[in-house]
Amino acid sequence: MLRFGGDNGMALSKEQIAQRIAQELKDGYYVNLGIGIPTLVANYIPAGINVVLQSENGLLGMGPFPFEGKEDPDLINAGKQTITTVPGSAFFDSAMSFGMIRAGKVDLTVLGAMEVSEQGDIANWKIPGKMVKGMGGAMDLVASAKNIIVAMMHVNPKGESKLLPQCSLPLTGKRCVKKIVTELAVVEVTENGFKLLERAPGVTVKEIVEKTAGKLIVEGDIKEMQF
């Protein structure tokens, strides 16, 4: 369902952000989904595409979220959400899981973020002054993944852009993000800054430009996202 977003048009729901990211999956991919919006990608894997979802806590072959009443409390992802498995799934310890990640076996990682810079730096683990347990698996994922897509809101609750010239929060990784999908747009990270690839249905290029603090390249007609 589309929801009202900015001043000029519509914006995507979190589910639609995940649905758009699912279009980036390719047959045979091993994929790690981060906490938050990224976990929803498991519900939108395109028909005919065979991907294997990996969870840092020790699972290959994660399925979509269970229906209400069908949850198994012993079966969870790294974010402690109840999940399902697919035929052929495998369980193992976290040491082996991180061995897979550090060895570059993950083809695509989808992460949430608080900020992304126009160089592809990502900040997604700490706000100074707030208590956190630690960076978790994100440090290994950003250092080892072949491709990182960020799923996040375009602006923070104060209306400030989260796509910045430089990140102001502590970094998780440098120059690692390849693409960003927000409620407003699909943006690629290039050597010359952000590049606008697609816009959400009804959202204008003007609104996206206004809500992007970092350098944003706009070339030609920008197509609407398709679902």
Side-chain angles (χ1 to χ4, degrees), residues 96-150:
M96 181 174 289
S97 179
F98 278 97
M100 295 174 183
I101 293 168
R102 293 166 184 167
K105 303 298 184 182
V106 176
D107 298 293
L108 171 65
T109 296
V110 184
L111 295 172
M114 292 178 279
E115 294 177 348
V116 177
S117 79
E118 61 189 40
Q119 295 84 29
D121 304 335
I122 180 174
N124 77 342
W125 75 282
K126 183 178 181 180
I127 297 176
K130 291 193 175 183
M131 181 73 71
V132 294
K133 294 180 179 179
M135 190 178 288
M139 178 175 63
D140 298 271
L141 288 164
V142 299
S144 306
K146 300 172 184 176
N147 185 12
I148 295 175
I149 297 177
V150 165

Side-chain angles (χ1 to χ4, degrees), residues 6 8-12 183-185 199-208 224:
N8 303 320
M10 307 290 282
L12 302 185
E183 79 278 21
L184 301 180
R199 56 189 174 85
V203 171
T204 65
V205 172
K206 178 176 180 288
E207 179 180 1
I208 297 167
E224 286 191 350

Side-chain angles (χ1 to χ4, degrees), residues 4 53 100 105 124 159 168 195:
F4 284 100
L53 301 181
M100 295 174 183
K105 303 298 184 182
N124 77 342
S168 63
K195 182 176 182 180

Side-chain angles (χ1 to χ4, degrees), residues 116 152-154 161-165 180 182 187 194 212-214:
V116 177
M152 70 176 188
M153 296 294 110
H154 212 94
S161 179
K162 296 170 67 173
L163 284 76
L164 305 171
I180 306 157
T182 75
V187 176
F194 298 123
T212 305

Side-chain angles (χ1 to χ4, degrees), residues 198-221:
E198 301 174 23
R199 56 189 174 85
V203 171
T204 65
V205 172
K206 178 176 180 288
E207 179 180 1
I208 297 167
V209 171
E210 289 174 347
K211 294 183 175 179
T212 305
K215 179 182 178 182
L216 182 64
I217 301 166
V218 181
E219 296 178 345
D221 293 330

Side-chain angles (χ1 to χ4, degrees), residues 51-130:
V51 301
V52 180
L53 301 181
Q54 192 253 18
S55 184
E56 298 105 284
N57 57 323
L59 171 62
L60 270 180
M62 189 165 55
F65 285 115
F67 291 109
E68 187 174 354
K70 300 292 185 180
E71 301 93 341
D72 180 349
D74 292 324
L75 193 57
I76 60 172
N77 61 17
K80 298 181 176 60
Q81 297 168 303
T82 53
I83 55 173
T84 63
T85 57
V86 298
S89 61
F91 300 90
F92 35 85
D93 61 27
S94 60
M96 181 174 289
S97 179
F98 278 97
M100 295 174 183
I101 293 168
R102 293 166 184 167
K105 303 298 184 182
V106 176
D107 298 293
L108 171 65
T109 296
V110 184
L111 295 172
M114 292 178 279
E115 294 177 348
V116 177
S117 79
E118 61 189 40
Q119 295 84 29
D121 304 335
I122 180 174
N124 77 342
W125 75 282
K126 183 178 181 180
I127 297 176
K130 291 193 175 183

Side-chain angles (χ1 to χ4, degrees), residues 169-205:
L169 296 173
L171 294 184
T172 311
K174 298 191 70 175
R175 297 182 180 271
C176 55
V177 176
K178 306 297 184 186
K179 192 173 288 185
I180 306 157
V181 181
T182 75
E183 79 278 21
L184 301 180
V186 178
V187 176
E188 182 182 16
V189 178
T190 74
E191 292 182 355
N192 299 313
F194 298 123
K195 182 176 182 180
L196 182 59
L197 300 182
E198 301 174 23
R199 56 189 174 85
V203 171
T204 65
V205 172

